[in-house]
Amino acid sequence: MGSNKILINIGFNNAVSLRRIVAVVGPDAAPVKRLKEEARRQNKLIDATNGRRTRAVIITDSDHVVLSSVQPETLAQRIEDNE
């Protein structure tokens, strides 16, 4: 199965390519907050929360930072299920 076409649902009909995901982390640590701000400054922040609380931050291999309202554990399980 080629993982280059697998999309992971990150909530609200949004998806990220499995092969592009480098990390899924919680949003509360100071380094993650700095990472989000830097991505915002570089226009590489994608907010996929639909106005909900950010529960997970997805970091991609293109240095894009994607905000999701789905728990990191749930996203990790979805990734694991598709590998």
Side-chain angles (χ1 to χ4, degrees):
M1 176 184 277
S3 67
N4 59 343
K5 296 183 183 183
I6 296 174
L7 297 175
I8 300 299
N9 180 345
I10 62 167
F12 301 105
N13 294 320
N14 297 301
V16 175
S17 174
L18 174 64
R19 71 179 179 88
R20 304 303 299 263
I21 296 173
V22 174
V24 177
V25 296
D28 297 326
V32 176
K33 289 179 181 180
R34 287 192 297 270
L35 185 67
K36 284 176 16 184
E37 287 309 310
E38 183 61 28
R40 181 174 279 121
R41 281 193 290 277
Q42 294 179 2
N43 290 324
K44 289 191 169 196
L45 182 70
I46 301 167
D47 186 347
T49 62
N50 256 26
R52 305 295 201 294
R53 180 172 169 249
T54 299
R55 293 198 170 113
V57 178
I58 302 164
I59 302 163
T60 68
D61 62 354
S62 62
D63 292 331
H64 284 85
V65 174
V66 184
L67 307 180
S68 173
S69 60
V70 177
Q71 291 286 353
E73 297 83 9
T74 303
L75 292 175
Q77 187 62 52
R78 290 177 186 175
I79 291 167
E80 188 176 301
D81 289 347
N82 283 289
E83 287 187 330

